[in-house]
Amino acid sequence: MAVTRDDYISLLSALLPPGPAWSPDDPAVKGAAPSLLRVHQRADALMHEIDPRTTTELINRWERIAGLPDECIPEGTQTIRQRQRRLDAKLNLAGGINEAFYLAQLEALGKKGATITRYIKSPFKCISPCTEVVDSPEWRYYWQVNMPASVDVNAMTCTDNCASPLRWWGDTVVECVLTKLCPSHTYVVFKYPE
C-alpha cells in the first residue's frame, strides 16, 4: 500500500498537542507532509539498492566491491540488467565444483536451459563394450557446456577485414566466467546449437 500526502497530514495532525492552537488544516502541517512523503519514497527506493540484483544507483559501488568489471567483460559493454546478473552471480557465489554449481552460475548469467556433459571417465579398453566411446585418457579432464538455443550468431559483413571469420558465435562473458571458475586440472568446452 502506497503512502500518500494525506497519510502524512493525518500522522502529523495526530502528533499535535490537543487544543485550538493547531488544526489539521494548518499550513505548517500541510507544508511538511510533502517533504516527509518524499523522504519516505526515497527510503523505499533505497531499499532496492541493498540487493545486487535490483541495484541501479549504487551499481558502480557494488561492482567496485566485487572487483567488476573484470577481464571477462570490457567496461561499458553491458546493460544494467546484464551488470546486475553478473554482480549477483559473483557476490552470491556459494562455491562448489559440481554440476549443480555450474548450472546455477549459467542460470545467473542468463543461460537458463544450458546443460553439462561430462566425458567418460575411463579410456576404451579391450574389455569395454562395443558401444563404448573411444577416448584417450586425457578426455576425463574435459567437460562440455551445452548452450541453449538463444545464442547470438554473427556473420561476416562487407565492412569486416579479410582476416575476419565468415561466421562466429559464442558468449564470451559466460565462457570467460566459467573458464575462471572451472577446476584448474580441467578444461571446459562450449557447444552452441546449430
Side-chain angles (χ1 to χ4, degrees):
M1 183 171 140
V3 179
T4 65
R5 178 179 170 266
D6 293 335
D7 292 333
Y8 270 101
I9 291 173
S10 66
L11 286 170
L12 288 171
S13 299
L15 292 173
L16 295 175
W22 294 94
S23 78
D25 294 330
D26 192 284
V29 172
K30 287 186 173 182
S35 297
L36 293 172
L37 177 62
R38 279 192 305 275
V39 169
H40 185 114
Q41 290 169 337
R42 185 68 183 131
D44 283 348
L46 283 175
M47 290 304 291
H48 293 286
E49 299 302 315
I50 63 173
D51 186 353
R53 294 172 295 180
T54 57
T55 184
T56 53
E57 292 179 53
L58 298 178
I59 194 162
N60 290 334
R61 289 185 185 180
W62 275 106
E63 286 178 330
R64 193 169 43 251
I65 290 168
L68 294 174
D70 56 9
E71 68 273 5
C72 292
I73 306 164
E75 195 168 349
T77 59
Q78 288 190 306
T79 64
I80 288 288
R81 184 66 195 128
Q82 290 170 327
R83 290 170 66 191
Q84 289 169 339
R85 266 198 229 125
R86 174 73 172 109
L87 187 61
D88 179 44
K90 183 150 187 186
L91 289 178
N92 294 320
L93 186 67
I97 55 171
N98 57 22
E99 192 171 327
F101 167 74
Y102 292 106
L103 289 174
Q105 286 302 304
L106 285 162
E107 189 170 332
L109 291 167
K111 299 300 174 194
K112 192 173 188 151
T115 59
I116 292 176
T117 301
R118 288 183 286 171
Y119 293 105
I120 194 153
K121 300 272 187 222
S122 59
F124 188 84
K125 297 180 178 137
C126 295
I127 56 172
S128 297
C130 295
T131 57
E132 196 69 44
V133 179
V134 179
D135 286 329
S136 66
E138 292 80 30
W139 277 100
R140 65 182 170 197
Y141 300 114
Y142 285 80
W143 52 288
Q144 176 178 297
V145 175
N146 305 304
M147 298 298 266
S150 60
V151 176
D152 294 331
V153 176
N154 301 301
M156 181 182 190
T157 64
C158 297
T159 59
D160 290 334
N161 64 30
C162 295
S164 295
L166 295 176
R167 187 172 170 202
W168 71 97
W169 55 90
D171 190 325
T172 55
V173 173
V174 172
E175 289 183 20
C176 180
V177 170
L178 285 186
T179 303
K180 282 176 62 174
L181 292 175
C182 79
S184 61
H185 68 285
T186 66
Y187 304 95
V188 61
V189 177
F190 295 90
K191 180 180 178 190
Y192 293 92
E194 294 185 27

